[in-house]
Amino acid sequence: LEDVSSRHVILHKSGSTPLGLRIVGGRGTGVFVAAVASGSASSQCGLQPKEQILQFNDIDLTCATHSGAGRAMLGLSGDVRVLVTSNDEGFGQLPRGMETQDQFYIR
């Protein structure tokens, strides 16, 4: 799954602190970061909008559905290893309106 543009980040999630991450995509398009809440665990580790999430811990999200990716991310605590890649082109190819209609906020 890794290539030269991929990078690993570690999210430090404790208790009820939200990840502060909004995802979009799935269904064969890839799962992307749509937004990152300021001051959240996601912003502190450096996640950026338009990055594609390839793995969440050891779960491969390259072919995940939107809801499947959201379920994989819910309820996690401790250190969470995330593999992301910069993919502006893939984000730009999401079906029109998906970036605002098919979002999932991860707490």
Side-chain angles (χ1 to χ4, degrees), residues 83-100:
L83 177 64
V84 295
T85 190
S86 178
N87 189 353
D88 289 348
E89 182 179 340
F91 187 84
Q93 291 178 356
L94 290 172
R96 187 178 185 117
M98 181 182 276
E99 65 277 1
T100 58

Side-chain angles (χ1 to χ4, degrees), residues 11-17 19 57 73-80:
L11 286 169
H12 302 288
K13 180 153 180 358
S14 60
S16 62
T17 305
L19 288 179
N57 277 342
M73 296 177 192
L74 285 174
L76 295 171
S77 62
D79 290 345
V80 179

Side-chain angles (χ1 to χ4, degrees), residues 1 3 11 14 22 26-27 35 37 40 42-43 51-52 62-63 73-75 77 81-82 89 97 102-104 107:
L1 291 176
D3 64 27
L11 286 169
S14 60
R22 191 174 304 272
R27 292 179 278 170
S40 68
S42 294
S43 72
E51 286 186 308
Q52 184 176 0
T62 56
C63 296
M73 296 177 192
L74 285 174
S77 62
R81 185 178 165 120
V82 184
E89 182 179 340
D102 197 10
Q103 295 185 0
F104 195 89
R107 290 200 164 278

